[in-house]
């Protein structure tokens, strides 16, 4: 079953593991990753949510379950910690070292935060699930953030689906309520601590920090009666519609953070605006996500595997 489409609960969890660095082989390990149960479950989760939000606005009506509310409360706690940990004065403009203080608090409290979300009979899953939460906010050594960290948060949500905390009817709330709140907190982290983009391709990349909201955001816009891909480079259209569509919210954030002509600082997005339909944009972004994120060793070398997202070959 795809995560998010089954009511089954995963077997008892074990501690997460990573392949020791000295044993990593770029070619063979990437092939192993693409054949793994983890890859199949992760992509299944992404595509299930992609279909779940198709043609829906952020502001539409949807069910908000108790676990969803608890996840939002968790993210609100992370947001509050940013306010309690202001940037420090330092010579370097980027990579404010106060982020390490903020991260140390998350590192210490992550399991407790997860335990507040999951029911008591699933408490044994907390150590493994908490690993993905800690991985999802950026690297405390380099003080950077990128699509690998974003993937860790999606994996965190995927694990909650696999153990039965999140259910099939939570799909819209997972994207619109939880993931959207996660984006807000990450943007605040990026701005507050001036975090570096992790593995950024600069002008040749889709975005310095995120990818998934462009996929799910383009799905939201499929079959929209008036908004076409060419419209997202129009400032007026973005300002009027960003609260309804995740894709446009991303464009707004980019234009707030970068100066100069859009075609120069966001060339890939500028090219995408010439695609004739949102369905083609969505399909193209999914292919691009696999090629540029999930199949790039510098991104996936940090991905954690365990009993919920195992490295073993896919069985179904």
């Amino acid at each position: 079953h795809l995560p998010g489409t089954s009511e089954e609960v995963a077997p008892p969890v074990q501690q997460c593991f990573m392949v020791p660095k000295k044993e990593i082989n770029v070619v063979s390990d990437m092939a192993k990753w693409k054949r793994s149960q983890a890859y199949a479950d992760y992509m299944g989760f992404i595509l299930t949510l992609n279909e779940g939000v198709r043609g829906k606005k952020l502001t539409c009506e949807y069910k908000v379950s108790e676990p969803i509310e608890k996840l939002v409360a968790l993210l609100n706690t992370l947001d509050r910690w940013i306010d309690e940990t202001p940037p420090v004065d330092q010579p370097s403009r980027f990579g404010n070292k106060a982020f390490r203080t903020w991260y140390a608090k998350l590192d210490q409290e992550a399991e407790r935060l997860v335990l507040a979300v999951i029911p008591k009979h699933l408490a044994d899953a907390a150590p493994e699930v908490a690993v993905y939460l800690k991985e999802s906010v950026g690297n405390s050594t380099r003080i950077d953030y990128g699509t690998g960290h974003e993937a860790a948060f999606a994996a965190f949500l995927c694990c909650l689906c696999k153990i039965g905390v999140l259910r099939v009817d939570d799909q819209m709330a997972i994207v619109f309520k939880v993931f959207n709140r996660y984006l807000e907190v990450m943007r605040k982290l990026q701005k507050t601590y001036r975090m570096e983009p992790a593995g950024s391709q600069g002008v040749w990349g889709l975005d310095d920090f995120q990818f998934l909201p462009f996929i799910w955001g383009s799905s939201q816009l499929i079959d929209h009666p008036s908004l076409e891909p060419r419209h997202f480079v129009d400032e007026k259209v973005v300002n009027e519609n960003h609260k309804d569509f995740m894709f446009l919210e991303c464009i707004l954030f980019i234009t707030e953070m970068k100066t100069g002509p859009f075609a120069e600082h966001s060339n890939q997005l500028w090219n995408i605006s010439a695609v004739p339909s949102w369905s083609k944009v969505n399909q193209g972004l999914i292919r691009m996500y696999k090629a540029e994120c999930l199949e790039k060793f510098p991104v996936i070398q940090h991905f954690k595997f365990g009993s919920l997202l195992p490295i073993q070959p896919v069985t179904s």
Side-chain angles (χ1 to χ4, degrees):
H1 299 284
L2 295 181
T5 61
S6 168
E7 300 297 321
E8 294 179 4
V9 176
V13 296
Q14 303 159 0
Q15 189 173 0
C16 287
F17 68 92
M18 274 191 72
V19 180
K21 285 190 177 179
K22 64 180 180 180
E23 296 179 14
I24 283 177
N25 178 284
V26 176
V27 178
S28 65
D29 280 8
M30 285 303 294
K32 189 176 182 181
W33 153 243
K34 287 168 66 177
R35 291 195 305 267
S36 71
Q37 189 68 50
Y39 183 92
D41 287 349
Y42 180 85
M43 272 314 300
F45 179 70
I46 299 303
L47 295 175
T48 298
L49 294 179
N50 187 61
E51 196 59 34
V53 301
R54 180 174 175 143
K56 306 289 197 310
K57 292 183 178 182
L58 286 168
T59 50
C60 73
E61 293 285 328
Y62 53 85
K63 178 198 169 192
V64 179
S65 64
E66 186 179 353
I68 293 291
E69 294 284 14
K70 288 179 176 179
L71 282 166
V72 172
L74 183 158
L75 292 165
N76 289 342
T77 298
L78 301 188
D79 190 316
R80 189 182 74 249
W81 289 350
I82 300 173
D83 296 332
E84 295 170 358
T85 316
V88 296
D89 290 330
Q90 62 180 42
S92 173
R93 182 183 172 193
F94 291 96
N96 195 281
K97 292 177 181 177
F99 174 74
R100 292 174 181 157
T101 304
W102 181 91
Y103 183 86
K105 191 162 190 175
L106 173 61
D107 191 38
Q108 183 179 354
E109 298 288 332
E111 279 191 37
R112 182 185 63 80
L113 291 172
V114 171
L115 284 168
V117 173
I118 64 179
K120 288 182 180 178
H121 71 277
L122 294 173
D124 288 346
E128 183 169 341
V129 175
V131 169
Y132 295 103
L133 178 62
K134 289 188 285 186
E135 290 284 315
S136 72
V137 297
N139 184 277
S140 62
T141 302
R142 298 186 301 271
I143 313 180
D144 64 6
Y145 175 94
T147 52
H149 302 110
E150 177 191 67
F153 190 76
F156 166 70
L157 296 174
C158 180
C159 287
L160 292 176
C161 286
K162 293 196 78 172
I163 63 175
V165 173
L166 297 174
R167 305 299 179 106
V168 179
D169 54 1
D170 287 320
Q171 285 181 29
M172 287 178 63
I174 288 171
V175 179
F176 292 169
K177 193 85 171 172
V178 179
F179 194 83
N180 204 45
R181 183 70 182 111
Y182 164 75
L183 287 177
E184 291 172 353
V185 177
M186 292 307 102
R187 286 167 182 152
K188 188 171 178 178
L189 273 180
Q190 291 153 22
K191 288 192 289 187
T192 302
Y193 302 121
R194 301 303 300 269
M195 298 178 77
E196 297 275 11
S200 172
Q201 296 175 311
V203 70
W204 304 112
L206 185 72
D207 180 77
D208 283 342
F209 298 107
Q210 314 295 159
F211 204 114
L212 290 175
F214 291 96
I215 294 177
W216 294 330
S218 60
S219 181
Q220 285 182 271
L221 286 156
I222 290 174
D223 297 329
H224 192 281
S226 58
L227 293 180
E228 299 174 13
R230 62 189 175 90
H231 290 129
F232 77 74
V233 293
D234 184 324
E235 185 179 348
K236 183 173 182 288
V237 170
V238 172
N239 288 334
E240 289 176 354
N241 296 279
H242 70 93
K243 291 182 180 178
D244 285 326
F245 300 104
M246 193 174 280
F247 194 104
L248 301 184
E249 189 72 47
C250 289
I251 300 299
L252 182 67
F253 183 70
I254 290 171
T255 56
E256 287 174 351
M257 299 300 289
K258 295 188 176 184
T259 57
F262 190 88
E264 291 183 11
H265 64 62
S266 299
N267 187 258
Q268 285 279 36
L269 284 167
W270 177 262
N271 292 336
I272 287 170
S273 70
V275 177
S277 71
W278 284 110
S279 60
K280 288 188 180 298
V281 170
N282 186 246
Q283 292 163 15
L285 286 174
I286 290 168
R287 290 194 298 270
M288 187 178 176
Y289 185 61
K290 290 177 181 177
E292 299 299 324
C293 296
L294 299 187
E295 295 172 13
K296 284 287 189 283
F297 184 74
V299 176
I300 294 304
Q301 67 175 328
H302 303 292
F303 197 93
K304 301 293 196 298
F305 305 100
S307 66
L308 294 171
L309 292 172
I311 191 64
Q312 282 76 23
V314 66
T315 55
S316 61

